[in-house]
Structure formats: C-alpha cells, structure tokens
Amino acid sequence: MKCKIYTPNKPQHTYCESGDVIIGGIATLAIFLNNGLSFTEEPPPSLLEDLILVLKNYQHILALVFAVKEINENPYLLPNVTLGFHIYDSHFSAQKTYHATMLLLYNLKGFVPNYICVIQNNLKAVIGGLDSKTSIDIANLLDIYKIPQLIYGSAPVMNYKTPGLSFFQMSPTERLQCDGILSLLLHFNWTWIGITVMDNDNGERVLDRIIPLFSKHCICFTFIERIAYLHSVNGLISVFKQGAKLHDKIVTTKSNVMIIYGESNALVFLRWLPYLSNKEHDRDAAKGKVWILNSQAELTSTVYQKDWDTQIIHGALSFTIHSNNLPGFKPFLESRNPLSPKADGFIIDFWQQAFNCIFQTSLLDEVVGNFCNGGENIEKLPKIVFETSMIGHSYSIYNSVYAVAYALHAMLISRFRHRKTIDEGRLHLLNQVGWQVYHFLKSLSFNNSAEDTISLDSNGELLTSLDVVNWIVFSNQSFVRVKVGKVDSGVPTGQSFTINDDIITWHSWFNQTQPLSACSDSCRPGSSKKVKEGEPFCCYDCAPCPEGKISDKEDSNECHACKDGSYPSRNRNTCNPKIIIFLSYGEPLGISLAFFAFFFSFISVMVLVIFMKNHNTPIIIANNRDLTYILLISLLLCFLSTFLFIGRPKKVICLLQQAAFGISFSMAVSSVLAKTVTVVLAFLATKPGSRMRMFVGKKLANSMVISCSLIETVICVLWLAISPPFPDLDMHSMVEESILQCNQGSEIMFYSVLIYMGFLAFISFIVAFLARKLPDTFNEAKFITFSMLVFCSVWISFVPTYLSTKGKYMVAVEIFSILTSSAGLLGCIFFPKCYIIVFKPNLNNREQLMNRKKE
C-alpha cells in the first residue's frame, strides 16, 4: 500500500508493510491527527518530552491502518485499486495545517528503496481534523478543489466566510448531543448547573444553542466558563489561573452538576482541577460533582498525567459515540512491536513514553532509567494511557475510511456502466476528480464489520445514536464504562432518550443517592415559586398559594384556581369535589322551618275555623268580617308559600316561589291597610254633616284590596315575562359547596316586589298609628300598629341579613322573615279577638260593646 507519514520536525517515515504488491490504480487518503500538545514557541527541552504526546491518540493511527489493511485485503470492495494514506500531525497550528494541506494538493516527490511508490498524488478524501479549527483550516484550501473532508472530531463553525464547504460529519451531530444532555438534566430534575466550553467559535456556537434551549426548559447556569487553548509555554500561567478561578467556582457553588462541552483535550484540563487548590477539602469538593461530558471529550492524558488521580470523573456521565468492538482489531493492536520490520514511525515514541523506558542505540553513552526490550505487553498499560478496545474517535476514523472506500466503489461501478478505460493495465483513477467522490458520499449507507449500519443523510451528517456511559473509577486508577442509556436520532423527540437509573454508580460524595442540583429547594405542592430579585429564575422562594387557589405539583410557577365543581383542600395542594347543597327536608334547619310553617298554617286554619263558627258575633262583625277572612286566607297562603322554598329547586317551583309569596303577602298587607282605612273613615263618618259616610262600606275596602294586590300581581307577571327565576348551580359563592338554588333572574324585579310590600306596610303603619286612639266599639288600629311595627322591623332587617348570607342560609333567612312577619300579623291582630271569643265569650255581645263605647 502507498502510505506516508508527515511529522514536522521529524524525519519522513514510510508506513508500508513488506510484501505488499501494488496492482491497478492507487487512491490516496490523508488524515490529520493531533498527537499531542504543541506550541507556537519552541518549549524548553525539559518540557518537550513530557508535553509532546497524548498516548491514547496513537490508537487513531492504528484504526486508520487497520481499516486500510482490511479494505486492501478485500477483493470485492476495491478490486484493482490500492488504498494508500498520508498522516499529518497538525499540532493545533494553523500554519502547519495549511502547509500540510498544500503538500497534499500538489505532487509529492520522494524515493523509497525497494518499493514502487508512484509520485503522482491521487488524493480522494481527507479525514480530520480532531478539532473544529483544524477542520476549517483544511477546508479553506480543499474547497477550491472540491475534495471531500470527513470530520471525525468536532463539527466546524460555518459562517459567511465558509459557505458550502464540503464537510461530512462522521461523529454525532451537535443537535443530538445538546438534546441528549437536556433530556438527561430534565430526567434527574437538575436545574442549576455549571457549564464549561472551549474558548473558540465552536464553544460560542454551543452556548448559542444551549443557553436558550436550556432556559426554555427552566434550567439556568451558576456559571459559564471558557477553556482557553494552550498555544505556548508562556500561556501555562494564564491557563492555570483560569483553572484556579474555575475550581473556586466549582467549590463554592451549590450546583452538583457540571457540563464540560469540549474537544479531545478537555479532560486533560479537567484533570488539573484537583491540583489547583492547596486545601485538601477543596480538592475533594471539586471531585464530588457529577460531570456530564460530550462525545468529543474522551478520557485522555498527556505523559506527565498518566499517574495522576482520576477520581474526579468517578460517577461521571458522558455521551459517547456508539461503537462496537471490531473483529480482529484487538489482536492487531497487541501485535504491534517496535522492533518489528513493519513498525511505523510513531511506535518508538509511543512505546518509550508509555512504558517509561528507552531503546538502546549506539548513540547513547549513558541512560538513566530502564531500557525497552520490545517485549512489554501493551494490554497491561493502564486504560488512562492506552486502551485496546476501540474508543469513539478511532471508531469514527475506521468508519470514515470505509465510507470513502464504499463511495469509490460506487463511483467505479457507475463508470464501468458507461465506459472502461485501461491503459497498460492501470485504471485511470487520476481522471476521477474529488467532486465525484463527494457526490457518492452523500446519502451513503453501508454495514461495517461490527454489523453497525453507517448512514449519511443528504446534508452529510451521520445518522447515529449516542450511548450514555457511566464512568466508574477504581482505587487503582483503572476504570470501566457502563452503558446506562441511549439517545436515538431515529425516533420522535419525546422517545429518543432512555436511561436506567438503577445501574448508575454515583460518586461516593453522594452516598449512592441521586444527586440534587437546584439553586433553591423544591417548592412543595400548595406553594408556588417567587423569583428572588436580582438572581436567576432558578433561584426562588416558596410562597403559599392564596386562598381559593392550589398548586398540585412541585415547583409550580403559579397557583391556579380549581375547576368549577371543586375547591382547594386545606393544604391547597389538591382540588376536592364540591358537595351540592340546598335547603332540604332531610336536615335540621329544613325540618325546623317546615315545622313552624306547618304550625302557623295550622294556627291560621284554627283561627279561621273559630271565626267562621262565630261568624255572627259582634266582635267579628265590628271590623269587617270579609276583610278578616281575606286577611286570614292571605296569611295562610303566606305560611304555605314557604314550602316552595324548601327542597330541591325545580323550574316550576322557582317560577312560583317569589310570585306566590309576593302576591299573598301583598293581599295580606292590603287587607290590613283596608281595615285601618275603614276604622278612620268610620270615625270621620260619625261627625255631623260629614260626607265620609258615602265611602264607608265593603265596596271601598274590597276595591283597596283588589287594586293593591293587582299592582303586585302585575309586577310579578312582568318579572316572569322579562327575566323569570330559574334553577341555578352556584359554584363560586361558597368554597366547599356548590349551591343549588333558584336564581332570581332579575334582581331589580325581586327588590321591586319587596319595596312595594314595604310601601304598603309603611302606609298601613302610618294610618294605624294615627288612628290608634280613635274611639270605637272595637278599635283594631292599635293592634294593627303593633303588627305593622313588627312587620316593618322584620323586613328592614331582612335586606342586610339576606345579602350577607349565602346558599341555603339565604333561603332560610327569607323563610324566617315570611314566617315571622306573617306570625306577627296573625298574633297581633287575631290573638285578642280569639281570646275574647274562646275565653271571654260573655264580652262578645252587643251590650258589652256598647258599654265599652260609652265608657
């Protein structure tokens, strides 16, 4: 296979395994890796060896080699084509990235002994970079030639300067990761978090997406920090100061959840945090947090960190690229040997720094430390240094190589359908330009050797899922990743996130209970949140719900009223169904009022019977017995009308209630008024020459009763015609009960009926009061005066009492007023007469009445 490794400041190395035979054409890939920290200034020699290499990134190279090896050994995927590659270390430097890209775009001239390595550059695609800035730098040149770029790291930031760049995103999209983190926070109800991003355009884009999205779901931030890239040794001090500042915020905040949305070296920075405080307690506080990591932030370390404590990430949750172990990959890694003739140009440096030894050469006079013998076991390296199982970025590189191979395969099949050009046994892949490969990469789908389906959509984004992984770190600094959940892009948003809480191991700080992360304690049901002035909306006090409102959930933003037909419980956290009430015959109040209504009705009937039996006696004849009978019957109807107010209101009953009461009462008061006027006219008629004699008689009295009652009847008829009463369920007047009652319809008409009766009673009272001392055989005026005084007192007090009561008690007040005023008329007017008739019959004769008149 054709292959070349470019490492700045190092000799050129050729990675071609002996015995390979190049047949047919050659297709070339280029991959940009970041093997370590680099500096725009040359670091001092003492720092160079410790800072140059991130050991885990060596797996990225091996993943590329393994994928190319599989493809070239597959006779069906790219027959007669050998896939080669170039490897470049960008060192996070734009200058070196542009330099390497220019080398790719033009012919590479070189000589490799004993191999036929063509000098033409058949570049078909570029894989990389690991960080978004490197990807943009590469794309600025590749886009001119429309050479596709498959990105296995962070997605680049697109802006007006980079329109339409040919990117294919081989790692999970940012949208999927942000949605997954949001779902995780909402699942555990973590609303008070800290977030750290990279101090670059990609970090700002993440914040532009996360801040409004999280705020929309009531999640706010205790701090938002940006991690600066380490570009020079001189920048170490400022980075450490920034880390100390971040450490202090982590220690002092109440939040237990920290998000690091970084790139590949983010955890290198995170592992510094426990060492940025001189206080042991503060170190532990920084460890006792739940760290949430995005898929790009892998657990890597530089050489100088390989023995550091990793407890800070114990219990962390990360969203990782879904990956499977590839058949043959682990044996391939374990077969690497720095002493093998097939060894690559990176393995010596990797081996020496991983095993902390040095290979003996003739150039070394004296060596401090151990010699490497090549027999060291790579599998025994701590996982923090190197893993033999495939990590996420390596899996993306592997799939990227296969994506290019399948796209070339599809392009070849397409060309063979039209024409087949052979020149000296070599297929002219030189004539295949990059944009054609780009066309076949779009909407590509294939199954890799782990039986995972790798698909790209029309936008060049990978259709994949994310695994939610729980990091468990042991005391010997080994660790395991436990899959506890998943975020799937192929299902609806509400169903895309799944997690198993029971298998999560939290940091020992939390004593294996689910961590809480909120600015304020949750407001219990029955209260609502009251935002603290000058603080984020996640920080609030809890205020009890006002009367008549409830909150049935924790952390309610506001209390709400219960629906009609229910009322708040005592704790104001639930709504209880209201009881429908009305004045019924089955309760003590209804029974009592019904008893008195019946009792007074019975008394009225008894009085009427007594009067009818003594129909022709002088005491009955003396005060117009017809009016007496009308008054008694009217009072009886008044007593009986109260039964219409007791029991379940119905339409007919509501129509009759006020009309029956109003008309019968008006008739009774009209009769009393007629009696009073009759007494006055009778006295005036006794004066010599008085013309009042013509008015004395039944005709005037009957006319008064009919006319006064008719007016009330007209008022009631108009009431029933315009706005009649109707059964109504009042759900608002009382808190715990709904009142089934007769709605009066028109309040004006109701009070018109009462005012008219009051007017008649007042006239009767005035006339009776003026006539109370007039001489007469049996002057009723004094009794009528007292009865009207009782009547008016009752109904004057009725109005405020009626308005101040609710429900069945309002009905009871009206019944009580009817019974009391009617009983007052019955007792004051008829009790003296009945006493004489029943107990003093000797006084009920004409002689006794005449003697009393003379006296």
Side-chain angles (χ1 to χ4, degrees), residues 522-530 540-543 545 550-560 572:
S522 296
C523 291
R524 298 177 64 83
S527 61
S528 62
K529 295 190 292 188
K530 183 180 180 182
Y540 49 81
D541 294 320
C542 298
C545 289
I550 68 145
S551 64
D552 53 2
K553 297 179 181 178
E554 285 192 348
D555 292 332
S556 296
N557 291 321
E558 59 183 15
C559 300
H560 59 87
R572 298 174 186 174

Side-chain angles (χ1 to χ4, degrees), residues 5 35 89 101 203 243 248 269 292 322 333 342 473 552 574 580 612 646 650 660 673 697:
I5 300 172
N35 270 349
D89 190 345
T101 307
D248 292 341
F269 180 85
I292 299 177
H322 176 72
L333 294 186
K342 299 181 180 181
V473 179
D552 53 2
T574 58
I580 297 177
M612 292 182 68
I646 305 175
K650 296 181 180 178
L673 178 60

Side-chain angles (χ1 to χ4, degrees), residues 427-447:
L427 179 68
H428 280 264
L429 287 176
L430 293 174
N431 297 328
Q432 306 294 331
V433 292
W435 66 266
Q436 291 177 302
V437 179
Y438 174 83
H439 171 75
F440 286 97
L441 278 170
K442 295 188 72 172
S443 302
L444 179 70
S445 182
F446 62 92
N447 288 342

